Amino acid sequence: MSDGGDGLRERKKRRMYSALSETAIGLFLEKGFDAVSVAEVAAAAEVSKPTLFRYFPAKEDLVLHRIADHEGEAARVVAEGPDPVEALRRHFLAGLERGDPVTGLCDHPDVLAFRTLLYGTPSLVARAYGQVERDEAALAGALGGDLDARLAAAQIIAVRRVLAEENWRRIAAGETERQVRPDAVAAAERAFARLAEGLPGLTARPPK
């Protein structure tokens, strides 16, 4: 019985996180991030301000929650096989195939509006950069944690970021997801091939 109760509480908690985040993002998209107070978000979500802060200690976290499941993703992916670069290549290509927003290859209006909100708000950019730094540190740890691992992680995270930014740039300029996809796939293949050449013998291993 306790397992069922714990599971129910966890599901309720996840639903609350999502409900608060989506309510906030809707308001931020409508009025602008800086024009909406935490009190307004709490009122719209029909919770108290202290309750909201128990879930999201910072206003920026209400937005970043939508992409929180991607944090540490690269580190998790390298555990899928003995070749980290190949595992990450397959993962990125799979993301392109399904139009995952994290790859930049998504032209859904809601996704484009969210990206404009995220990268058009300085405090959100700073918060997102913190997530990138944690991703890099987690990947470095998964690769062994030494200097070579940190250098490799920095290169891998940078490649993924630049590939996604190029896809977003073209879509923001008016191209469709379908138009961009062939070039996005070719660019990813080239980029990961160069990573493989530059990082021979790279393996996932516990930190020393």
Side-chain angles (χ1 to χ4, degrees), residues 83-108:
D83 185 338
V85 174
E86 175 59 19
L88 290 164
R89 182 191 73 85
R90 291 197 305 266
H91 183 265
F92 195 86
L93 290 172
L96 292 175
E97 178 63 29
R98 64 178 181 270
D100 190 330
V102 77
T103 67
L105 192 65
C106 183
D107 57 10
H108 192 286

Side-chain angles (χ1 to χ4, degrees), residues 66-130:
R66 184 178 280 187
I67 58 174
D69 58 337
H70 287 293
E71 185 166 334
E73 188 171 61
R76 294 190 294 272
V77 168
V78 300
E80 295 176 2
D83 185 338
V85 174
E86 175 59 19
L88 290 164
R89 182 191 73 85
R90 291 197 305 266
H91 183 265
F92 195 86
L93 290 172
L96 292 175
E97 178 63 29
R98 64 178 181 270
D100 190 330
V102 77
T103 67
L105 192 65
C106 183
D107 57 10
H108 192 286
D110 289 346
V111 172
L112 296 177
F114 176 79
R115 180 175 173 81
T116 299
L117 168 68
L118 178 59
Y119 291 101
T121 307
S123 62
L124 292 174
V125 172
R127 201 76 169 187
Y129 182 72

